[in-house]
């Protein structure tokens, strides 16, 4: 069993994570997910406004201090 904490959801935002594709890869190919990406969308559900990496607990995304804070690439996941 793996615990993948998701980013905090605010009332006006939608957070989407493609769990079905990750589960399919795990079951069909034996490839367990080590990182997923959460996409935060505006209330209309079509405009992506931020992306964050989602990692297995106890790792948590930390902003690198450089790059666009709305892109998953600008974060490093660590347990500290």
């Amino acid at each position: 069993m793996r615990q993948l904490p998701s980013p905090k959801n605010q009332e006006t935002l939608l957070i989407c994570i493609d769990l079905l594709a990750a589960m399919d890869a795990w079951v069909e190919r034996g490839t367990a997910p080590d990182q997923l990406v959460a996409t935060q969308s505006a209330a209309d559900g079509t405009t992506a406004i931020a992306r964050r990496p989602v990692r297995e607990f106890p790792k948590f995304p930390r902003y690198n201090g450089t790059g666009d804070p709305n892109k998953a690439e600008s974060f490093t996941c660590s347990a500290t």
Side-chain angles (χ1 to χ4, degrees), residues 16 39-41 45 51 59 67:
C16 298
T39 302
Q40 204 170 43
S41 299
R51 295 171 53 86
K59 293 181 181 177

Side-chain angles (χ1 to χ4, degrees), residues 31-65:
T31 307
D34 66 332
Q35 177 176 322
L36 299 172
V37 175
T39 302
Q40 204 170 43
S41 299
D44 65 8
T46 60
T47 307
I49 57 173
R51 295 171 53 86
R52 297 283 185 277
V54 178
R55 289 282 181 100
E56 185 177 359
F57 182 81
K59 293 181 181 177
F60 191 81
R62 306 265 186 233
Y63 179 59
N64 293 333

Side-chain angles (χ1 to χ4, degrees), residues 3-5 8 11 14 19 36 39 53-54 56-57 59 65 73 75 77 80:
Q3 179 182 1
L4 299 168
K8 182 179 178 183
E11 289 181 28
L14 302 172
L19 296 175
L36 299 172
T39 302
V54 178
E56 185 177 359
F57 182 81
K59 293 181 181 177
E73 307 84 58
F75 290 79
C77 293
T80 58

